[in-house]
Amino acid sequence: MNNYTFFATISRMKYIERWALMRNSRPENLSEHAVEVSMIAHALCIIGNVRYGRHLDGERAALIGIYHDASEIITGDMPTPVKYYNEEIKHAYKTVERIAEDHLLERLPDDLRPAFSSIFKPNKDDEDEMYMRKLVKAADKLSALIKCIEEERSGNKEFITAQKSTLKALDKMKEECPEVKDFMDEFLNSYGNTLDELAL
């Protein structure tokens, strides 16, 4: 009997803590982050289709969101300031990520591997696919911003600088992707509210 370890390895996302170098009022693990990114990526695609006449596969975007940081099971969560310190480190880390993703895919049977490989590796010839993946990246940033907002509203000032840099990155994304602006304008304000406030 073969023993393929892909899904058992993926299930360990719940043990990878994000924001490890920062004081958190509530820890966040990679599984939680992946679910939030998936939901937001799906929403961004729906906004794109309904309001901007796009033809994006929201379900596929959600699936890509689930696996978008899976390589961190192997690499760990590298802090953003380190990851993007300069082009050389950024390029080196991207290479490490690709190697880690290949290592994960090797844990699947040969006949299933192509289907999962297409989740990890973009089809660069497909314009809609590349735009959808851009929205997944935006969803990743929005999830980070939501974390910063929630920490700030709980009285933790540790995330103030991260919030500013994340907003700056999202401002650039809004220029290319109006879906991001729509989500921020219509949904972002309620994050960090109490349950009673959300029920009003």
Side-chain angles (χ1 to χ4, degrees):
M1 183 185 290
N2 289 319
N3 185 26
Y4 295 102
T5 60
F6 178 82
F7 291 107
T9 306
I10 292 294
S11 76
R12 300 189 70 83
M13 286 202 296
K14 60 183 170 278
Y15 301 124
I16 308 296
E17 279 200 17
R18 287 172 49 78
W19 311 95
L21 295 181
M22 298 171 76
R23 180 172 56 82
N24 289 257
S25 62
R26 192 191 78 80
E28 177 187 58
N29 67 49
L30 196 55
S31 285
E32 294 170 312
H33 172 65
V35 168
E36 188 163 61
V37 169
S38 299
M39 288 190 295
I40 296 171
H42 179 264
L44 293 174
C45 287
I46 299 300
I47 292 168
N49 292 342
V50 171
R51 296 183 177 173
Y52 300 102
R54 304 198 201 283
H55 302 92
L56 305 171
D57 187 340
E59 287 75 16
R60 181 165 167 76
L63 190 59
I64 291 166
I66 288 171
Y67 288 102
H68 82 283
D69 275 342
S71 63
E72 290 182 9
I73 298 163
I74 296 167
T75 66
D77 179 29
M78 185 176 285
T80 299
V82 177
K83 197 188 294 188
Y84 299 107
Y85 179 73
N86 62 30
E87 282 302 314
E88 190 177 352
I89 290 175
K90 183 180 172 183
H91 178 73
Y93 188 74
K94 287 286 178 196
T95 302
V96 170
E97 277 184 325
R98 282 194 296 272
I99 292 167
E101 286 171 355
D102 288 342
H103 189 54
L104 283 170
L105 290 167
E106 285 165 9
R107 299 172 184 223
L108 285 161
D110 290 346
D111 60 336
L112 300 184
R113 201 172 297 158
F116 285 88
S117 182
S118 76
I119 297 167
F120 285 87
K121 300 176 190 301
N123 176 3
K124 293 181 179 177
D125 296 325
D126 186 330
E127 227 173 89
D128 285 341
E129 161 101 357
M130 294 311 292
Y131 190 82
M132 179 193 65
R133 286 183 182 266
K134 201 180 282 190
L135 292 181
V136 174
K137 284 185 180 174
D140 187 32
K141 284 290 178 195
L142 284 164
S143 176
L145 180 60
I146 289 161
K147 170 66 172 172
C148 293
I149 290 168
E150 290 173 343
E151 289 291 330
E152 183 191 20
R153 292 192 181 173
S154 71
N156 184 6
K157 296 182 179 179
E158 184 85 5
F159 284 74
I160 289 172
T161 304
Q163 185 170 341
K164 285 177 184 172
S165 62
T166 305
L167 273 169
K168 191 175 176 184
L170 282 164
D171 281 341
K172 286 184 183 175
M173 290 176 168
K174 283 193 290 187
E175 291 172 13
E176 291 183 36
C177 305
E179 298 89 345
V180 178
K181 183 180 187 307
D182 287 4
F183 187 93
M184 292 177 75
D185 288 347
E186 296 175 32
F187 297 106
L188 199 61
N189 214 33
S190 55
Y191 281 92
N193 284 1
T194 66
L195 183 59
D196 288 339
E197 288 168 334
L198 292 172
L200 290 176

